[in-house]
Amino acid sequence: MRRLDISSRGAVLASILALAASPASAFYFPGTAPTSYKQGDAVPLFVNHLTPADSQYDPKLRSVFSFDYYHPEFHFCQPDGGPKEIRESLGSILFGDRIQTSPFELRMGKNESCKSLCQATYEPNDAVFVNSRIYQGYDLNWLIDGLPAAQLLKDPNTDQPFYSPGFALGMVNEGTPEFNNHYDILIDYHEASKDSYRVVGVLVDPYSMHDSNNCNDAQSAVVLNENEVNKVSFTYSVYWRESPTPFATRWDKYLHVYDPKIHWFSLVNSAVIVVFLVGMVSTILVRTLKKDIARYNRLDQFALDDFGENGDVEDGVAEDSGWKLVHGDVFRPPKNPLLLSVLIGNGAQLFAMTALTIAFALLGFLSPSNRGALGTVIIIFYTLFGFVGGYVSARTYKFFHGESWKLCFFYTPFALPGLVFATFFLLNLFVWGRGASGAVPFTTMLVVVVIWFVISVPLSVAGSWLGFKQAAFDPPVRTNQIPRQIPPAGGYLRPLPSMALAGVLPFGAIFVELYFIMNSIWFSKVYYMFGFLFLCFGLMIITSAAVTVLMIYFLLCAENYHWQWRSFFTAGASAAYVFASCLLYWVKDVSWTSWTSGVVYLGYSALLSCLVFVLTGTIGFCASWLFVMKIYSSIKVD
Ligand SMILES: *[C@@H]1O[C@H](CO)[C@@H](O)[C@H](O)[C@H]1NC(C)=O
């Protein structure tokens, strides 16, 4: 009952947000209110796109493109008068859903065996197309009453059965592609009250039957001959099974966590790293810094007391190595202050969006039963947090004594969103060019651009204006006129080694979750481990902050005061590891049959790494900023 409350509340909230975000009423939010059917009522079956999947026989990803169900070469049976589009939320469309009507006729509670659908003709080139999709392991995705048609799989570790959305287009049997033309549809229903039934589970068993007219011919399969014209009949059977599962928990069997042990193991692993790191940083902060500060202040006092008598005491302090020496330079603005401010503004926007989305997901608002909710919420939050981005970038720029204000106002809303959109657009052109129908429709792109211009850009400019109006942060020490010479430093303090060393830790906190996220993106699987994701995100923030503060402390001790860019790059270096892990995933789990898939995969991996770079870099910079402000405000400088 509680769960139902949460999901319906989520639906209400999300629909309010969705309404607020969509300028036209073309997109609406599908609610999760239960639909009740009477005995014999028609239950519609909708078809979604075809997606590449990992079959049990061949767990490799062979393509990244998805196809419209009514893509001409498939020749799937169409309803009378042609298929109609089902309206969807913006997030659902952006994440690839293309839902349309189908010719299947399902009546609540009425079993039917071997209903004929239609006969289709496959020319040789169609046969080539379909066969290669079977080799690539494509899945069909259907929806009945909002539930995905699934295959019953067993968890190899626990032997627990669960529903895995999607079922195979065909099967490769000893090198021959067999095309499925008969579907056994098993629907679980639950009697909510007298003559009021609800759909609570959908399984589809596809078969390939050469003579499908009597539906018993499991012996000879349909193999599309690539040299002649093939005729294939499509049939289906429907079986309704009474189930004790109530509507409120019908998604449970779909939201299967594959291997919870791996998640816990990685979580404990990264927690150990974090404890170790935080221990190290706090030792330094508490012990070393306290000692440093006490010593500096004592020497200062000493120098003042004995001024005149012992003239070289002050020189003695100045000779002292350590971070105090650079107090006159540590707040000197970095090179390219505009670029850094814009990056940090965008990072703050990304951070706010990610944190709030994960928090929302954790509260159960974004369960997969709200189709497309995740995508929609991401867009809404990102749009609204344009304000945060503008504000942070302006305040940082002011702190850096920036002067090109117009550029700062302009670049902040356009830099990262522009990059994301450009990549998205280019890769979509690729998908279009490839002839796959999984490309995001042009109108949807247009809607996204309109939302961005009408809401996000003004909010960002307003935020920048507010930040610009406020007084700059006051640095605790004055900056000298003449920059100090930086002594050469070796070892791990050089830029590349320090980045390589520091970046690996935040990456270590997220890489297992990252693997699961990539699996769910490329294999279109349900991702519902937001609890783990939340903890990992927290650990990543702490590690990024701690490791960067540590590096910056060592850097300042080596009398190098260029900490601003360094802190950004030190934390951001984890993005390089993210990209490397995408490449590793390619080597391990992917086997392309065309180079275009590789291009799209690399493009999205690069984009993902870029976002991780800006996000972690911003965390590193902000942590270092706080740290530097703190330590220099606790020493006395004449
Ligand atoms: C429909 O088929 C299912 C599965 O074979 C069976 O359990 C059920 O009793 C059948 N229902 C009717 C009304 O025949």
PDB file of all heavy atoms in Angstrom, residues 416-429 445 600 602-608 610:
ATOM      1  N   LEU A 416      28.549  24.152 -21.672  1.00  0.00           N
ATOM      2  CA  LEU A 416      28.320  22.713 -21.543  1.00  0.00           C
ATOM      3  C   LEU A 416      27.037  22.256 -22.244  1.00  0.00           C
ATOM      4  O   LEU A 416      27.060  21.265 -22.980  1.00  0.00           O
ATOM      5  CB  LEU A 416      28.310  22.325 -20.064  1.00  0.00           C
ATOM      6  CG  LEU A 416      28.501  20.851 -19.795  1.00  0.00           C
ATOM      7  CD1 LEU A 416      29.834  20.377 -20.313  1.00  0.00           C
ATOM      8  CD2 LEU A 416      28.389  20.570 -18.317  1.00  0.00           C
ATOM      9  N   PRO A 417      25.903  22.966 -22.046  1.00  0.00           N
ATOM     10  CA  PRO A 417      24.709  22.536 -22.783  1.00  0.00           C
ATOM     11  C   PRO A 417      24.954  22.530 -24.281  1.00  0.00           C
ATOM     12  O   PRO A 417      24.482  21.627 -24.988  1.00  0.00           O
ATOM     13  CB  PRO A 417      23.660  23.583 -22.412  1.00  0.00           C
ATOM     14  CG  PRO A 417      24.101  24.108 -21.107  1.00  0.00           C
ATOM     15  CD  PRO A 417      25.606  24.081 -21.151  1.00  0.00           C
ATOM     16  N   GLY A 418      25.722  23.501 -24.778  1.00  0.00           N
ATOM     17  CA  GLY A 418      26.021  23.542 -26.200  1.00  0.00           C
ATOM     18  C   GLY A 418      26.795  22.313 -26.631  1.00  0.00           C
ATOM     19  O   GLY A 418      26.498  21.689 -27.646  1.00  0.00           O
ATOM     20  N   LEU A 419      27.786  21.956 -25.812  1.00  0.00           N
ATOM     21  CA  LEU A 419      28.599  20.778 -26.125  1.00  0.00           C
ATOM     22  C   LEU A 419      27.740  19.519 -26.135  1.00  0.00           C
ATOM     23  O   LEU A 419      27.808  18.701 -27.057  1.00  0.00           O
ATOM     24  CB  LEU A 419      29.718  20.643 -25.092  1.00  0.00           C
ATOM     25  CG  LEU A 419      30.629  19.447 -25.297  1.00  0.00           C
ATOM     26  CD1 LEU A 419      31.571  19.703 -26.444  1.00  0.00           C
ATOM     27  CD2 LEU A 419      31.389  19.127 -24.036  1.00  0.00           C
ATOM     28  N   VAL A 420      26.907  19.382 -25.089  1.00  0.00           N
ATOM     29  CA  VAL A 420      26.050  18.197 -24.988  1.00  0.00           C
ATOM     30  C   VAL A 420      25.116  18.134 -26.189  1.00  0.00           C
ATOM     31  O   VAL A 420      24.981  17.095 -26.839  1.00  0.00           O
ATOM     32  CB  VAL A 420      25.227  18.229 -23.682  1.00  0.00           C
ATOM     33  CG1 VAL A 420      24.185  17.126 -23.677  1.00  0.00           C
ATOM     34  CG2 VAL A 420      26.141  18.098 -22.494  1.00  0.00           C
ATOM     35  N   PHE A 421      24.520  19.276 -26.499  1.00  0.00           N
ATOM     36  CA  PHE A 421      23.554  19.278 -27.586  1.00  0.00           C
ATOM     37  C   PHE A 421      24.230  18.999 -28.923  1.00  0.00           C
ATOM     38  O   PHE A 421      23.716  18.235 -29.733  1.00  0.00           O
ATOM     39  CB  PHE A 421      22.795  20.608 -27.630  1.00  0.00           C
ATOM     40  CG  PHE A 421      21.643  20.571 -28.577  1.00  0.00           C
ATOM     41  CD1 PHE A 421      20.458  19.955 -28.212  1.00  0.00           C
ATOM     42  CD2 PHE A 421      21.745  21.106 -29.844  1.00  0.00           C
ATOM     43  CE1 PHE A 421      19.395  19.882 -29.086  1.00  0.00           C
ATOM     44  CE2 PHE A 421      20.688  21.035 -30.728  1.00  0.00           C
ATOM     45  CZ  PHE A 421      19.515  20.425 -30.350  1.00  0.00           C
ATOM     46  N   ALA A 422      25.397  19.618 -29.127  1.00  0.00           N
ATOM     47  CA  ALA A 422      26.101  19.424 -30.397  1.00  0.00           C
ATOM     48  C   ALA A 422      26.463  17.948 -30.578  1.00  0.00           C
ATOM     49  O   ALA A 422      26.265  17.372 -31.647  1.00  0.00           O
ATOM     50  CB  ALA A 422      27.345  20.291 -30.449  1.00  0.00           C
ATOM     51  N   THR A 423      26.975  17.324 -29.522  1.00  0.00           N
ATOM     52  CA  THR A 423      27.338  15.905 -29.618  1.00  0.00           C
ATOM     53  C   THR A 423      26.105  15.063 -29.917  1.00  0.00           C
ATOM     54  O   THR A 423      26.109  14.196 -30.793  1.00  0.00           O
ATOM     55  CB  THR A 423      27.949  15.432 -28.283  1.00  0.00           C
ATOM     56  OG1 THR A 423      28.877  16.400 -27.848  1.00  0.00           O
ATOM     57  CG2 THR A 423      28.616  14.094 -28.431  1.00  0.00           C
ATOM     58  N   PHE A 424      25.051  15.357 -29.157  1.00  0.00           N
ATOM     59  CA  PHE A 424      23.804  14.628 -29.315  1.00  0.00           C
ATOM     60  C   PHE A 424      23.291  14.751 -30.747  1.00  0.00           C
ATOM     61  O   PHE A 424      22.895  13.774 -31.371  1.00  0.00           O
ATOM     62  CB  PHE A 424      22.811  15.240 -28.334  1.00  0.00           C
ATOM     63  CG  PHE A 424      21.673  14.346 -27.978  1.00  0.00           C
ATOM     64  CD1 PHE A 424      21.912  13.152 -27.316  1.00  0.00           C
ATOM     65  CD2 PHE A 424      20.381  14.687 -28.293  1.00  0.00           C
ATOM     66  CE1 PHE A 424      20.856  12.323 -26.979  1.00  0.00           C
ATOM     67  CE2 PHE A 424      19.325  13.864 -27.960  1.00  0.00           C
ATOM     68  CZ  PHE A 424      19.565  12.685 -27.303  1.00  0.00           C
ATOM     69  N   PHE A 425      23.361  15.982 -31.254  1.00  0.00           N
ATOM     70  CA  PHE A 425      22.844  16.252 -32.594  1.00  0.00           C
ATOM     71  C   PHE A 425      23.680  15.537 -33.649  1.00  0.00           C
ATOM     72  O   PHE A 425      23.148  14.873 -34.543  1.00  0.00           O
ATOM     73  CB  PHE A 425      22.848  17.764 -32.828  1.00  0.00           C
ATOM     74  CG  PHE A 425      22.139  18.175 -34.082  1.00  0.00           C
ATOM     75  CD1 PHE A 425      20.755  18.168 -34.148  1.00  0.00           C
ATOM     76  CD2 PHE A 425      22.849  18.562 -35.204  1.00  0.00           C
ATOM     77  CE1 PHE A 425      20.092  18.533 -35.309  1.00  0.00           C
ATOM     78  CE2 PHE A 425      22.199  18.931 -36.366  1.00  0.00           C
ATOM     79  CZ  PHE A 425      20.822  18.916 -36.412  1.00  0.00           C
ATOM     80  N   LEU A 426      25.000  15.633 -33.527  1.00  0.00           N
ATOM     81  CA  LEU A 426      25.880  14.994 -34.510  1.00  0.00           C
ATOM     82  C   LEU A 426      25.699  13.479 -34.516  1.00  0.00           C
ATOM     83  O   LEU A 426      25.587  12.859 -35.566  1.00  0.00           O
ATOM     84  CB  LEU A 426      27.337  15.323 -34.196  1.00  0.00           C
ATOM     85  CG  LEU A 426      27.801  16.712 -34.646  1.00  0.00           C
ATOM     86  CD1 LEU A 426      29.263  16.906 -34.282  1.00  0.00           C
ATOM     87  CD2 LEU A 426      27.603  16.850 -36.140  1.00  0.00           C
ATOM     88  N   LEU A 427      25.632  12.896 -33.315  1.00  0.00           N
ATOM     89  CA  LEU A 427      25.485  11.440 -33.254  1.00  0.00           C
ATOM     90  C   LEU A 427      24.131  11.020 -33.803  1.00  0.00           C
ATOM     91  O   LEU A 427      23.998   9.968 -34.422  1.00  0.00           O
ATOM     92  CB  LEU A 427      25.663  10.956 -31.817  1.00  0.00           C
ATOM     93  CG  LEU A 427      27.079  11.129 -31.279  1.00  0.00           C
ATOM     94  CD1 LEU A 427      27.189  10.618 -29.862  1.00  0.00           C
ATOM     95  CD2 LEU A 427      28.084  10.415 -32.157  1.00  0.00           C
ATOM     96  N   ASN A 428      23.134  11.879 -33.607  1.00  0.00           N
ATOM     97  CA  ASN A 428      21.826  11.582 -34.174  1.00  0.00           C
ATOM     98  C   ASN A 428      21.839  11.635 -35.688  1.00  0.00           C
ATOM     99  O   ASN A 428      21.173  10.844 -36.345  1.00  0.00           O
ATOM    100  CB  ASN A 428      20.793  12.567 -33.651  1.00  0.00           C
ATOM    101  CG  ASN A 428      19.872  11.891 -32.673  1.00  0.00           C
ATOM    102  OD1 ASN A 428      19.019  11.118 -33.074  1.00  0.00           O
ATOM    103  ND2 ASN A 428      20.089  12.132 -31.410  1.00  0.00           N
ATOM    104  N   LEU A 429      22.619  12.580 -36.227  1.00  0.00           N
ATOM    105  CA  LEU A 429      22.762  12.641 -37.678  1.00  0.00           C
ATOM    106  C   LEU A 429      23.306  11.317 -38.191  1.00  0.00           C
ATOM    107  O   LEU A 429      22.885  10.782 -39.200  1.00  0.00           O
ATOM    108  CB  LEU A 429      23.720  13.767 -38.069  1.00  0.00           C
ATOM    109  CG  LEU A 429      23.155  15.183 -38.073  1.00  0.00           C
ATOM    110  CD1 LEU A 429      24.189  16.155 -38.602  1.00  0.00           C
ATOM    111  CD2 LEU A 429      21.904  15.244 -38.935  1.00  0.00           C
ATOM    112  N   MET A 445      13.933  17.461 -30.654  1.00  0.00           N
ATOM    113  CA  MET A 445      15.143  18.283 -30.561  1.00  0.00           C
ATOM    114  C   MET A 445      14.757  19.752 -30.436  1.00  0.00           C
ATOM    115  O   MET A 445      15.315  20.497 -29.630  1.00  0.00           O
ATOM    116  CB  MET A 445      15.974  18.124 -31.835  1.00  0.00           C
ATOM    117  CG  MET A 445      16.565  16.766 -31.991  1.00  0.00           C
ATOM    118  SD  MET A 445      18.234  16.814 -31.381  1.00  0.00           S
ATOM    119  CE  MET A 445      18.861  15.319 -32.038  1.00  0.00           C
ATOM    120  N   VAL A 600      29.326   5.906 -32.613  1.00  0.00           N
ATOM    121  CA  VAL A 600      28.299   6.376 -31.684  1.00  0.00           C
ATOM    122  C   VAL A 600      28.688   6.034 -30.253  1.00  0.00           C
ATOM    123  O   VAL A 600      28.575   6.855 -29.335  1.00  0.00           O
ATOM    124  CB  VAL A 600      26.929   5.765 -32.053  1.00  0.00           C
ATOM    125  CG1 VAL A 600      25.900   6.054 -30.986  1.00  0.00           C
ATOM    126  CG2 VAL A 600      26.455   6.307 -33.386  1.00  0.00           C
ATOM    127  N   LEU A 602      31.735   5.581 -29.024  1.00  0.00           N
ATOM    128  CA  LEU A 602      32.849   6.442 -28.586  1.00  0.00           C
ATOM    129  C   LEU A 602      32.358   7.847 -28.313  1.00  0.00           C
ATOM    130  O   LEU A 602      32.777   8.491 -27.350  1.00  0.00           O
ATOM    131  CB  LEU A 602      33.937   6.479 -29.659  1.00  0.00           C
ATOM    132  CG  LEU A 602      34.949   5.359 -29.624  1.00  0.00           C
ATOM    133  CD1 LEU A 602      36.063   5.646 -30.615  1.00  0.00           C
ATOM    134  CD2 LEU A 602      35.528   5.203 -28.222  1.00  0.00           C
ATOM    135  N   GLY A 603      31.456   8.340 -29.166  1.00  0.00           N
ATOM    136  CA  GLY A 603      30.925   9.692 -28.986  1.00  0.00           C
ATOM    137  C   GLY A 603      30.243   9.846 -27.640  1.00  0.00           C
ATOM    138  O   GLY A 603      30.543  10.776 -26.882  1.00  0.00           O
ATOM    139  N   TYR A 604      29.372   8.891 -27.314  1.00  0.00           N
ATOM    140  CA  TYR A 604      28.661   9.008 -26.039  1.00  0.00           C
ATOM    141  C   TYR A 604      29.599   8.784 -24.861  1.00  0.00           C
ATOM    142  O   TYR A 604      29.445   9.410 -23.812  1.00  0.00           O
ATOM    143  CB  TYR A 604      27.471   8.045 -25.993  1.00  0.00           C
ATOM    144  CG  TYR A 604      26.262   8.598 -26.719  1.00  0.00           C
ATOM    145  CD1 TYR A 604      25.731   7.977 -27.836  1.00  0.00           C
ATOM    146  CD2 TYR A 604      25.668   9.779 -26.286  1.00  0.00           C
ATOM    147  CE1 TYR A 604      24.638   8.508 -28.507  1.00  0.00           C
ATOM    148  CE2 TYR A 604      24.584  10.311 -26.952  1.00  0.00           C
ATOM    149  CZ  TYR A 604      24.073   9.678 -28.064  1.00  0.00           C
ATOM    150  OH  TYR A 604      23.004  10.217 -28.721  1.00  0.00           O
ATOM    151  N   SER A 605      30.583   7.907 -25.022  1.00  0.00           N
ATOM    152  CA  SER A 605      31.547   7.696 -23.939  1.00  0.00           C
ATOM    153  C   SER A 605      32.333   8.975 -23.676  1.00  0.00           C
ATOM    154  O   SER A 605      32.562   9.354 -22.520  1.00  0.00           O
ATOM    155  CB  SER A 605      32.521   6.582 -24.291  1.00  0.00           C
ATOM    156  OG  SER A 605      31.843   5.398 -24.527  1.00  0.00           O
ATOM    157  N   ALA A 606      32.744   9.645 -24.758  1.00  0.00           N
ATOM    158  CA  ALA A 606      33.502  10.891 -24.597  1.00  0.00           C
ATOM    159  C   ALA A 606      32.639  11.935 -23.903  1.00  0.00           C
ATOM    160  O   ALA A 606      33.108  12.661 -23.016  1.00  0.00           O
ATOM    161  CB  ALA A 606      33.973  11.395 -25.953  1.00  0.00           C
ATOM    162  N   LEU A 607      31.371  11.992 -24.283  1.00  0.00           N
ATOM    163  CA  LEU A 607      30.469  12.967 -23.669  1.00  0.00           C
ATOM    164  C   LEU A 607      30.310  12.686 -22.179  1.00  0.00           C
ATOM    165  O   LEU A 607      30.398  13.593 -21.339  1.00  0.00           O
ATOM    166  CB  LEU A 607      29.113  12.898 -24.368  1.00  0.00           C
ATOM    167  CG  LEU A 607      28.094  13.946 -23.940  1.00  0.00           C
ATOM    168  CD1 LEU A 607      28.614  15.328 -24.259  1.00  0.00           C
ATOM    169  CD2 LEU A 607      26.768  13.712 -24.637  1.00  0.00           C
ATOM    170  N   LEU A 608      30.124  11.419 -21.855  1.00  0.00           N
ATOM    171  CA  LEU A 608      29.983  11.029 -20.454  1.00  0.00           C
ATOM    172  C   LEU A 608      31.229  11.422 -19.663  1.00  0.00           C
ATOM    173  O   LEU A 608      31.143  12.012 -18.574  1.00  0.00           O
ATOM    174  CB  LEU A 608      29.753   9.513 -20.363  1.00  0.00           C
ATOM    175  CG  LEU A 608      29.689   8.945 -18.952  1.00  0.00           C
ATOM    176  CD1 LEU A 608      28.338   9.273 -18.336  1.00  0.00           C
ATOM    177  CD2 LEU A 608      29.917   7.446 -18.945  1.00  0.00           C
ATOM    178  N   CYS A 610      33.356  13.707 -20.347  1.00  0.00           N
ATOM    179  CA  CYS A 610      33.419  15.162 -20.272  1.00  0.00           C
ATOM    180  C   CYS A 610      32.574  15.671 -19.100  1.00  0.00           C
ATOM    181  O   CYS A 610      33.009  16.539 -18.338  1.00  0.00           O
ATOM    182  CB  CYS A 610      32.842  15.709 -21.565  1.00  0.00           C
ATOM    183  SG  CYS A 610      33.751  17.026 -22.211  1.00  0.00           S
TER     184      CYS A 610
END
